[in-house]
């Protein structure tokens, strides 16, 4: 009986990925893995070179996949798998036009991002980084009634902008802290918000009434730059602003002005524009601004599951079978 010879197809990885995903790809007889072997982003020139003749591409949020990259890959490219839940780095119009399938990694990072958001909110509101610094630099002397006082969640009103999977997961974790009211805004009311007695309100009402404003929305033309001067002017001067969505949702110059003028009390960011934020950026000079290096999904378990899912999406696209998580185009 004649054996069937399968053509081995090239896949290009733009970065080292978690071992769970790498194991899946290296054990597959369908593909030959070509990888940018670094933890740092691939350069544009190396990306354009690496994708040449590839049947599959596994990329990250930091990789701009546009017409130039697709042209460099050529007609062989069948699938793009991104190790992310976001996809604003992909030119979906060009990708769809060429009939290329796209896999992504939603849901798996919901819990980790929600946990990080709550941690960032508490650290910002209760001024933990300031307190740690005072211990280290000798600023901790005697007990003082108002020293390093912050804001608590008990009896507060929390406003969530974008009550999707992650927004709802954040709200679930905040409620047990004694939050009195949960407000949310977005395109539509969410039936599942009733689980937490969530109130669907206009954005202006949310900003005016909330003690904590948490941004957890998708990046769209409507939300880009949404958090600017007008936005911050409608918040309480005792309010704490938290963003774990996308950096470009916030106008950072306007945020700086709001923080330095006392328009709002404090801000915590896990996302910025650009990323990384330059060490000399004005926001980094402020004690009432806590900035993290985009680590919302950074748990070993979550990144492992993301790597595995991205690899399985890639192989399914190569085989022409159903992906575990395919982005509808």
């Amino acid at each position: 009986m004649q054996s069937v010879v399968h053509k081995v197809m090239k896949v290009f990885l733009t970065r080292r990925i978690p071992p769970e995903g790498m194991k899946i790809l290296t054990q597959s007889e369908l593909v030959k893995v070509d990888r940018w072997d670094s933890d740092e982003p691939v350069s544009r020139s190396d990306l354009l070179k690496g994708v040449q003749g590839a049947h599959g591409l596994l990329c990250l949020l930091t990789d701009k996949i546009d017409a130039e990259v697709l042209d460099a890959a050529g007609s062989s490219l069948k699938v793009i798998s991104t190790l992310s839940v976001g996809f604003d780095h992909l030119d979906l119009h060009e990708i769809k036009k060429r009939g290329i399938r796209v896999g992504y990694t939603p849901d798996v990072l919901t819990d980790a991002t929600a946990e990080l958001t709550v941690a960032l909110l508490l650290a910002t509101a209760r001024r933990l980084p300031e307190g740690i610094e005072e211990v280290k630099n000798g600023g901790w002397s005697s007990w003082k009634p108002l020293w390093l006082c912050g804001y608590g969640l008990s009896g507060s009103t929390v406003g969530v902008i974008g009550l999707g999977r992650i927004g709802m997961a954040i709200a679930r974790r905040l409620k047990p802290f004694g939050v009195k009211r949960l407000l949310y805004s977005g395109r539509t009311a969410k039936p599942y918000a009733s689980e937490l007695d969530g109130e669907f309100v206009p954005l202006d009402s949310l900003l005016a009434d909330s003690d904590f404003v948490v941004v957890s929305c998708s990046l769209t033309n409507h939300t880009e730059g949404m958090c600017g001067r007008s936005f911050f002017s409608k918040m309480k001067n005792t309010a704490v602003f938290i963003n774990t969505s996308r950096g470009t949702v916030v106008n950072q110059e306007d945020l700086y002005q709001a923080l330095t003028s006392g328009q709002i009390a404090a801000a915590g960011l896990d996302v910025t524009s650009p990323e990384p934020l330059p060490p000399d950026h004005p926001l980094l000079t402020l004690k009432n601004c806590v900035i993290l290096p985009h680590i919302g999904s950074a748990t070993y378990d979550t990144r492992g599951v993301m790597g595995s899912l991205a690899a399985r999406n890639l192989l399914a696209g190569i085989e022409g079978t159903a992906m575990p998580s395919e982005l509808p185009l």
Side-chain angles (χ1 to χ4, degrees):
M1 184 175 179
Q2 188 177 6
S3 61
V4 178
V5 178
H6 294 284
K7 178 184 177 184
V8 178
M9 300 190 185
K10 173 186 171 179
V11 295
F12 180 65
L13 279 56
T14 64
R15 194 84 64 90
R16 293 174 188 154
I17 65 170
E20 293 88 341
M22 200 64 198
K23 182 179 179 182
I24 290 171
L25 294 178
T26 54
Q27 289 182 345
S28 171
E29 296 180 353
L30 288 174
V31 298
K32 176 182 180 296
V33 177
D34 187 9
R35 179 179 68 168
W36 175 251
D37 192 16
S38 173
D39 291 324
E40 299 301 320
V42 63
S43 69
R44 186 70 175 178
S45 60
D46 285 306
L47 172 60
L48 294 172
K49 180 181 177 182
V51 297
Q52 291 177 13
H55 297 85
L57 171 65
L58 195 155
C59 64
L60 277 68
L61 269 175
T62 48
D63 306 314
K64 186 173 178 59
I65 308 302
D66 54 15
E68 184 182 26
V69 174
L70 301 176
D71 287 342
S75 58
S76 62
L77 189 64
K78 301 170 65 175
V79 57
I80 296 169
S81 176
T82 181
L83 189 78
S84 64
V85 63
F87 43 83
D88 43 275
H89 56 304
L90 306 177
D91 187 335
L92 297 181
H93 175 73
E94 281 291 333
I95 291 168
K96 181 178 180 180
K97 191 166 72 174
R98 299 168 194 238
I100 299 168
R101 298 171 67 191
V102 176
Y104 68 136
T105 60
D107 302 325
V108 297
L109 47 70
T110 298
D111 288 338
T113 303
E115 288 173 6
L116 188 281
T117 303
V118 173
L120 177 59
L121 186 152
L122 291 169
T124 304
R126 294 299 302 273
R127 302 170 66 177
L128 300 192
E130 283 184 77
I132 292 167
E133 188 58 34
E134 290 296 282
V135 173
K136 290 182 176 180
N137 66 22
W140 182 16
S141 56
S142 63
W143 184 86
K144 306 180 188 74
L146 294 178
W147 187 55
L148 286 174
C149 283
Y151 299 93
L153 280 162
S154 182
S156 70
T157 296
V158 172
V160 178
I161 300 173
L163 198 71
R165 288 184 298 265
I166 294 174
M168 190 63 179
I170 293 166
R172 283 196 187 99
R173 286 161 172 78
L174 288 175
K175 256 307 198 177
F177 282 90
V179 171
K180 186 176 181 181
R181 293 179 71 199
L182 171 68
L183 310 180
Y184 72 98
S185 68
R187 286 173 293 183
T188 58
K190 308 296 184 186
Y192 49 77
S194 61
E195 172 195 329
L196 300 173
D197 298 320
E199 304 171 43
F200 182 56
V201 298
L203 179 60
D204 284 0
S205 298
L206 181 149
L207 296 176
D209 294 343
S210 296
D211 300 298
F212 300 89
V213 173
V214 180
V215 182
S216 183
C217 59
S218 301
L219 177 63
T220 65
N221 291 335
H222 177 68
T223 61
E224 186 169 2
M226 171 181 66
C227 306
R229 181 178 301 176
S230 174
F231 179 101
F232 296 120
S233 72
K234 295 167 185 171
M235 290 174 61
K236 298 178 180 181
N237 60 13
T238 54
V240 175
F241 173 79
I242 303 295
N243 182 27
T244 55
S245 60
R246 284 285 180 270
T248 50
V249 168
V250 177
N251 181 313
Q252 291 175 170
E253 289 73 23
D254 290 346
L255 175 60
Y256 178 82
Q257 290 301 321
L259 289 167
T260 53
S261 67
Q263 179 65 59
I264 65 173
L269 312 174
D270 184 44
V271 287
T272 60
S273 180
E275 291 184 359
L277 199 65
D280 61 352
H281 194 280
L283 284 175
L284 296 174
T285 66
L286 304 180
K287 289 184 177 181
N288 60 342
C289 187
V290 178
I291 299 180
L292 302 178
H294 201 156
I295 54 172
S297 65
T299 69
Y300 290 111
D301 286 345
T302 300
R303 293 287 171 85
V305 173
M306 287 176 70
S308 173
L309 180 54
R312 289 185 288 120
N313 282 338
L314 188 70
L315 291 180
I318 291 290
E319 293 177 292
T321 58
M323 286 187 193
S325 291
E326 182 166 3
L327 186 66
L329 297 181

